[in-house]
Amino acid sequence: MMVAEIETNQFSLFPVASLDEINKMRKDLSKFKKMKKTKEDLEKHHNMEVLLKSDVYTRLSSMVDRIERAFNLIIAEDVRAIIVYRFLEGHDRYETICKFDLCERSIDRKIFEGIESIANTFKLWEVIQ
């Protein structure tokens, strides 16, 4: 009896983001702190009924909520901690390297893993195609 072999790069239960999609997610994450502060400011100083009719607010709010949800789906706690510090709190790469007791390459790898996880989640949700 022959069993068909499936190469791992041909079949995946979950969709996998491309390098371009991961790079776009890195840019979006780099803007996250500003997006969240803008959203909070709009909510504080404007009527919510008016905001809910605004395309800009709707897109901004949706993106912030999706990033936060996708962030919560990162399984590795060390990766999640680094992503929180780097993107959600808005620290730069140098500050991130100084904060965590890891070499630069390890920090960069964990940052990439976190960004990749969020991009893959967005791909699963069909936010990116």
Side-chain angles (χ1 to χ4, degrees), residues 70-85:
F71 155 76
N72 286 321
L73 295 173
I74 297 172
I75 294 172
E77 298 214 10
D78 59 337
V79 171
R80 190 175 328 119
I82 290 169
I83 293 297
V84 165
Y85 191 79

Side-chain angles (χ1 to χ4, degrees), residues 37 48 82 110:
K37 285 203 160 291
M48 281 306 292
I82 290 169
K110 290 182 184 295

Side-chain angles (χ1 to χ4, degrees), residues 5 13 16 31 33 41 47 49 52 56-57 62-63 67 72 76 80 88 94-95 101-102 105 107 110 129:
E5 290 185 29
L13 183 58
V16 177
K31 299 174 196 169
K33 189 172 180 181
D41 181 72
N47 181 318
E49 288 180 32
L52 292 173
V56 171
Y57 174 79
S62 177
M63 186 62 157
I67 288 173
N72 286 321
R80 190 175 328 119
L88 277 63
Y94 179 75
E95 291 172 315
D101 190 25
L102 297 168
R105 289 181 56 185
I107 292 288
K110 290 182 184 295
Q129 308 211 3

Side-chain angles (χ1 to χ4, degrees), residues 15-109:
V16 177
S18 70
L19 189 56
D20 286 342
E21 292 164 335
I22 293 168
N23 287 333
K24 184 188 180 312
M25 183 55 58
R26 178 184 292 273
K27 289 178 186 174
D28 290 343
L29 286 172
S30 295
K31 299 174 196 169
F32 176 81
K33 189 172 180 181
K34 176 74 172 168
M35 286 189 287
K36 183 154 182 161
K37 285 203 160 291
T38 301
K39 176 185 178 249
E40 290 168 353
D41 181 72
L42 288 171
E43 291 168 349
K44 184 177 177 181
H45 297 287
H46 293 81
N47 181 318
M48 281 306 292
E49 288 180 32
V50 173
L51 284 178
L52 292 173
K53 294 176 185 176
S54 164
D55 288 340
V56 171
Y57 174 79
T58 302
R59 285 194 314 266
L60 179 65
S61 180
S62 177
M63 186 62 157
V64 167
D65 293 345
R66 285 179 181 150
I67 288 173
E68 287 176 336
R69 282 180 54 212
F71 155 76
N72 286 321
L73 295 173
I74 297 172
I75 294 172
E77 298 214 10
D78 59 337
V79 171
R80 190 175 328 119
I82 290 169
I83 293 297
V84 165
Y85 191 79
R86 173 71 178 89
F87 295 108
L88 277 63
E89 293 180 8
H91 297 278
D92 65 24
R93 180 179 176 271
Y94 179 75
E95 291 172 315
T96 305
I97 290 166
C98 292
K99 164 96 172 145
F100 296 90
D101 190 25
L102 297 168
C103 69
E104 288 183 41
R105 289 181 56 185
S106 292
I107 292 288
D108 290 342
R109 184 177 39 80

